[in-house]
Amino acid sequence: MMERRTFIKNVAGTAAVGGVLSSTIPSALASTIKQQEMIVHYVLFWLREDLSEQEIKDFTGFFEELKKIPTIKSLHYGPAANTNKRDVVDNSFSYNLLVHFKNMDDIGVYETHPIHLAAIEKYSKNWTKVVVHDSILKI
């Protein structure tokens, strides 16, 4: 059985070592590891009101085509949620698109990629308004 004095000395020694490690390792890592960023491309679509249920359903083909662009890290889409009405909530849009990219170069490739341009050409007849929000997120 460990004596109380030995236990306290061991715990205090571990805390001192832990304090040194916790204060020096993060700064050492910070100097060798660059903080990572990701580009988030968030797009809202308002579809034409005269579209049939089938045309609205077929519109998701736009997003599925975009998934083929190789610089995309992840792509998610869906309709507006019928959440509680509040002054700060805008769910007037028909669909949203959320795409993540590794860096600015990758979103640049996406913006001018033939798949992206062809999908816009094919599906743009379905929307009346599009709003894009691009952000740089620290990860």
Side-chain angles (χ1 to χ4, degrees):
M1 185 180 251
M2 184 182 287
E3 290 185 27
R4 184 171 190 261
R5 181 177 294 186
T6 305
F7 174 76
I8 291 172
K9 182 179 176 184
N10 287 342
V11 170
T14 303
V17 170
V20 169
L21 290 176
S22 65
S23 64
T24 59
I25 288 181
S27 61
L29 289 175
S31 65
T32 59
I33 299 174
K34 181 182 174 186
Q35 184 171 6
Q36 294 185 343
E37 297 176 343
M38 126 178 14
I39 308 301
V40 176
H41 180 65
Y42 184 72
V43 187
L44 299 173
F45 297 87
W46 284 262
L47 298 183
R48 291 187 0 237
E49 291 184 18
D50 64 336
L51 294 180
S52 69
E53 289 291 324
Q54 188 60 48
E55 288 171 317
I56 293 170
K57 184 177 177 182
D58 292 345
F59 180 71
T60 60
F62 175 70
F63 308 118
E64 293 300 320
E65 288 185 30
L66 296 179
K67 284 182 176 181
K68 300 172 189 171
I69 299 173
T71 59
I72 291 175
K73 283 181 67 173
S74 68
L75 183 148
H76 307 279
Y77 63 90
N82 190 19
T83 54
N84 294 325
K85 303 289 184 215
R86 297 183 297 139
D87 291 341
V88 296
V89 174
D90 175 7
N91 54 9
S92 66
F93 58 93
S94 306
Y95 273 95
N96 70 7
L97 169 67
L98 180 63
V99 186
H100 294 99
F101 297 94
K102 184 172 68 177
N103 53 42
M104 292 298 286
D105 291 338
D106 285 358
I107 193 171
V109 168
Y110 166 84
E111 289 171 343
T112 59
H113 198 282
I115 292 173
H116 185 225
L117 299 177
I120 290 170
E121 179 71 26
K122 180 177 179 180
Y123 289 96
S124 63
K125 67 181 185 288
N126 294 312
W127 62 66
T128 59
K129 179 180 174 181
V130 174
V131 175
V132 176
H133 298 274
D134 292 330
S135 300
I136 300 171
L137 298 183
K138 303 288 184 197
I139 55 172

